[in-house]
Amino acid sequence: MTVIRARVLGFCMGVRRAVEMAEAEAGRKPVRTMGPLIHNPQVLASLRDRGVEMLDEGELPADLGGLTVIIRAHGISPALEEELLRHRAALTDATCPLVKKNQREARSLEGAGFSLFIAGEKRHGEIAGLQGYAPGGTVVSDAAEAAQAALSLSRRNPAAKTALIGQTTIGVREYAAIGEAIRGRFPGLKVVDSICGAVRERQESLRELCGRVDAVVIAGGRLSSNTRRLLDIARSLKKPAWLVESAAELTEALAAEIGGYQIVGLSAGASTPDSVINEIETKIRLLSP
Ligand code: SF4
């Protein structure tokens, strides 16, 4: 069996930056992260081993004095940031610069009187943070919801100035379909180019890879939205595909199933560290018949 890696895979700039910031702070002072720093269980476990625990938004301790709180790569809302400061935390902002740019853009569009549509997963931290910068925005998770929301706005305010901004990790085609659905009611819709190039690159590399392999393994966390999207893309291209979080998940049965294919592609989400990708590749090679 041959294993071929995608041309671009694994850690992106924003995730690498957030992990390096957390590692630099760990050990020097008491550190917490606001929610999961990134969506990768191994990285979070390794930070925990170094004393970096995670704060839960719903159960913030009354006094965070003496603690450094690191804001996750996906960002948080201004209201939560203020709350942390009120609780006396010292903040280190590891929000990815691209997420930050979208947050500023959302605030400025709403300030300029646009009715804002926010495309993304309703329960994702990045969307919660983004919505905090544009509280009047409507979150839509697919084209059907977008069409419905546009219809409802057109009834209330047919002359509304509208704009669309999206989660950095949303699929290119999905974002375009959401834009089209809104344009059906508001032809002048302003669309913000908010998709992260790193995500797009990983998705395009995977599409190329799928043309050369018989099956695909995606390495990464199940809670990582861009990792799950890679899995969806491979399956939409009719490739047998598995999402594998760690080498430990590769049981003999699973490795044998994967090893039944002659050429296997390997890709990984933007929050998957090199060490996990390497361990998974080694184990596939070792266990395959
Ligand atoms: S995927 Fe893009 S937006 Fe998200 S953390 Fe990485 S570089 Fe930033």
Side-chain angles (χ1 to χ4, degrees):
M1 183 191 60
T2 307
V3 178
I4 304 180
R5 286 186 177 215
R7 189 176 45 81
V8 184
L9 75 172
F11 263 11
C12 62
M13 167 276 294
V15 164
R16 195 176 297 280
R17 176 177 173 273
V19 172
E20 283 173 3
M21 284 170 89
E23 284 175 350
E25 301 272 14
R28 290 201 293 133
K29 44 190 155 180
V31 177
R32 301 287 179 268
T33 62
M34 186 57 254
L37 184 71
I38 64 166
H39 284 146
N40 182 270
Q42 292 92 341
V43 172
L44 298 183
S46 136
L47 286 171
R48 239 188 343 265
D49 289 346
R50 302 175 65 176
V52 181
E53 297 286 343
M54 195 168 81
L55 291 175
D56 181 339
E57 188 174 342
E59 296 171 7
L60 282 186
D63 187 3
L64 294 169
L67 283 178
T68 294
V69 176
I70 303 182
I71 298 177
R72 64 193 174 209
H74 291 136
I76 60 174
S77 68
L80 181 53
E81 200 169 319
E82 279 160 26
E83 196 179 348
L84 288 166
L85 290 172
R86 260 200 321 276
H87 290 231
R88 302 196 313 127
L91 299 185
T92 293
D93 192 356
T95 307
C96 171
L98 299 177
V99 173
K100 201 86 218 165
K101 181 167 157 274
N102 284 345
Q103 291 174 340
R104 291 198 188 104
E105 184 78 24
R107 172 179 271 166
S108 127
L109 285 167
E110 192 160 276
F114 280 86
S115 295
L116 195 62
F117 293 91
I118 301 173
E121 295 168 68
K122 291 201 171 79
R123 293 168 60 186
H124 195 282
E126 183 184 334
I127 291 296
L130 196 56
Q131 212 179 5
Y133 282 81
T138 305
V139 179
V140 290
S141 49
D142 56 32
E145 262 186 46
Q148 194 53 45
L151 171 64
S152 150
L153 176 64
S154 70
R155 284 180 178 150
R156 282 180 280 126
N157 182 5
K161 273 198 307 183
T162 56
L164 172 66
I165 194 164
Q167 193 171 332
T168 48
T169 50
I170 196 168
V172 176
R173 291 167 199 200
E174 205 177 333
Y175 193 49
I178 289 174
E180 275 315 298
I182 300 169
R183 259 201 206 94
R185 299 281 165 189
F186 296 98
L189 176 77
K190 177 182 167 66
V191 179
V192 179
D193 182 8
S194 50
I195 301 182
C196 167
V199 172
R200 199 175 297 166
E201 248 184 340
R202 280 153 187 75
Q203 292 177 356
E204 280 165 11
S205 293
L206 174 63
R207 286 181 198 281
E208 282 166 23
L209 182 70
C210 283
R212 303 162 57 205
V213 299
D214 304 315
V216 179
V217 171
I218 310 288
R222 288 195 174 76
L223 292 179
S224 157
S225 121
N226 77 87
T227 303
R228 285 198 315 268
R229 203 162 299 281
L230 292 176
L231 182 71
D232 292 344
I233 289 173
R235 287 186 174 158
S236 74
L237 294 171
K238 310 275 179 256
K239 292 292 164 191
W242 302 265
L243 194 160
V244 178
E245 216 164 67
S246 69
E249 283 187 2
L250 281 165
T251 56
E252 277 190 38
L254 179 55
E257 198 183 333
I258 295 169
Y261 294 90
Q262 233 177 353
I263 308 177
V264 173
L266 178 62
S267 180
S271 50
T272 314
D274 295 345
S275 56
V276 172
I277 302 172
N278 293 340
E279 280 163 24
I280 288 175
E281 179 171 358
T282 306
K283 195 147 177 199
I284 293 174
R285 288 183 189 281
L286 275 177
L287 290 183
S288 63

